[in-house]
Amino acid sequence: YTNNPAMQQAAAYRLKEQQRKLPAFPRNLPASVVAPVAVALNGKNGTVMGYTMPYLSGMEVLLSYGDRKYRDQGGIDGNQVAAVFQKLHTVVREVHQEQVVIGDFNDLNVLVDGNGEAWLVDADSMQFGNFPCRTFTARFVDPLCCQPDQLLLTTPHNQQSDWYAYNIMLMQ
């Protein structure tokens, strides 16, 4: 952000918003959402300095499942891929039932374990209450949330935009 005042200001705003957002993070999300568990506070002034969340190991990004060579080398057939997406569908539906929108939903924010279970990461950017998700990945953003002539969010993410991203991942 050096020599970019607009980016510095945006980062400062995000850090300020995280002071309220992280303590208010929904606690009733599905277990397969790797969400903040506890916040780390500055002992002097009580500001949020960070957060803890579960550690996952032995995972692969969903992006890899779109690579035929990866699937062939790993012995992953079409039925296994379909099962991953069926499980992911359930997770997305359960997240939405809690009035949370994933927002920056993409194949790098979905991890798959050795049992074919789908895990959502980067949950701190999810949208809930008065906390919008301001981030997106160009390939997965619903064009209805952007200006027609440029890649800039003009309306908040919503459940339909999550399903748009889900379908892009599925078609890959």
Side-chain angles (χ1 to χ4, degrees):
Y1 299 144
T2 304
N3 298 325
N4 191 334
M7 293 296 285
Q8 291 171 6
Q9 184 178 10
Y13 180 82
R14 282 191 307 274
L15 289 171
K16 185 177 179 182
E17 183 179 62
Q18 291 290 51
Q19 298 300 308
R20 297 183 334 274
K21 183 177 183 178
L22 287 171
F25 201 87
R27 302 286 177 224
N28 48 353
L29 294 176
S32 53
V33 175
V34 184
V37 175
V39 293
L41 301 174
N42 180 323
K44 293 182 181 179
N45 61 15
T47 59
V48 174
M49 302 298 290
Y51 57 91
T52 62
M53 64 179 148
Y55 176 76
L56 301 177
S57 64
M59 302 284 178
E60 186 58 59
V61 291
L62 185 61
L63 170 71
S64 298
Y65 281 67
D67 179 1
R68 180 63 181 245
K69 186 176 178 181
Y70 171 81
R71 291 192 318 268
D72 288 346
Q73 289 175 342
I76 301 168
D77 66 25
N79 290 329
Q80 290 168 294
V81 175
V84 168
F85 275 93
Q86 287 170 339
K87 293 172 184 176
L88 181 58
H89 187 279
T90 299
V91 173
V92 174
R93 188 175 35 78
E94 290 173 348
V95 167
H96 288 167
Q97 286 172 348
E98 299 303 327
Q99 305 306 307
V100 175
V101 171
I102 299 165
D104 189 18
F105 194 20
N106 64 74
D107 55 9
L108 293 175
N109 286 344
V110 178
L111 303 181
V112 181
D113 68 18
N115 297 319
E117 298 294 326
W119 298 79
L120 295 179
V121 298
D122 198 22
D124 61 306
S125 68
M126 289 182 176
Q127 177 175 294
F128 62 92
N130 293 324
F131 301 105
C133 174
R134 298 180 193 339
T135 60
F136 63 90
T137 302
R139 280 192 351 234
F140 300 96
V141 68
D142 182 345
L144 296 176
C145 293
C146 295
Q147 289 184 356
D149 56 345
Q150 54 183 291
L151 207 53
L152 180 67
L153 283 179
T154 56
T155 61
H157 296 281
N158 54 62
Q159 291 182 6
Q160 290 74 28
S161 64
D162 281 351
W163 289 119
Y164 176 90
Y166 173 93
N167 282 298
I168 296 295
M169 289 182 263
L170 179 62
M171 293 301 120
Q172 289 185 129

